[in-house]
C-alpha cells in the first residue's frame, strides 16, 4: 500500500511510484491505496484494489456531506466531499 501525497487540479488524490505520478479519484492526502500498474501498449494505467481511508495527513482537509445525490456517480463536482475552506485552500495551491 502507498500513501496519497497530494491533490491534483481535478481534486483527485495523487501518489508517485516509479518516478511517475498517478491519480486516484475520491481520495485525500493520508489515505492508503493498494494498486497495480497495468501496461496498455505504451501507456501505463493504475488499477486500485483497496483504499484505506485515513483522512487528511496534514489536517487541512475537512470532510463535508456532498449535497448532490449523484456525487460519485457522474464524475462532476469532485470537491463536494470537502468543506468549503478546504476547497479554497487546495484550489489556491
Amino acid at each position: 500500500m502507498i500513501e496519497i501525497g497530494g491533490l491534483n487540479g481535478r481534486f483527485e488524490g495523487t501518489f508517485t511510484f516509479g518516478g511517475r505520478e498517478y491519480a486516484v479519484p475520491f481520495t485525500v492526502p493520508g489515505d492508503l491505496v493498494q494498486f497495480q500498474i497495468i501496461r496498455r501498449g505504451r501507456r501505463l494505467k493504475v488499477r486500485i484494489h483497496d483504499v484505506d481511508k485515513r483522512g487528511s495527513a496534514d489536517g487541512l482537509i475537512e470532510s463535508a456531506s456532498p449535497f448532490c445525490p449523484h456525487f460519485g456517480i457522474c464524475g462532476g463536482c469532485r470537491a463536494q466531499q470537502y468543506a468549503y475552506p478546504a476547497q479554497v485552500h487546495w484550489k489556491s495551491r
Side-chain angles (χ1 to χ4, degrees), residues 54-91:
R54 301 269 173 122
S56 176
D58 56 12
L60 295 173
I61 295 185
E62 240 180 273
S63 64
S65 296
F67 57 85
C68 178
H70 304 289
F71 176 74
I73 299 168
C74 77
C77 308
R78 289 190 177 174
Q80 285 187 33
Q81 77 247 33
Y82 308 118
Y84 187 70
Q87 290 181 36
V88 171
H89 170 78
W90 281 98
K91 286 180 179 180

Side-chain angles (χ1 to χ4, degrees), residues 17-75:
F17 180 78
R20 298 178 67 116
E21 185 174 84
Y22 297 93
V24 184
F26 308 110
T27 58
V28 298
D31 290 348
L32 297 175
V33 295
Q34 184 177 17
F35 66 97
Q36 176 183 11
I37 304 296
I38 301 167
R39 181 174 294 279
R40 296 220 171 135
R42 294 166 65 189
R43 299 181 72 200
L44 296 176
K45 184 173 175 139
V46 65
R47 176 180 287 162
I48 302 302
H49 294 287
D50 189 28
V51 177
D52 185 4
K53 298 297 250 176
R54 301 269 173 122
S56 176
D58 56 12
L60 295 173
I61 295 185
E62 240 180 273
S63 64
S65 296
F67 57 85
C68 178
H70 304 289
F71 176 74
I73 299 168
C74 77

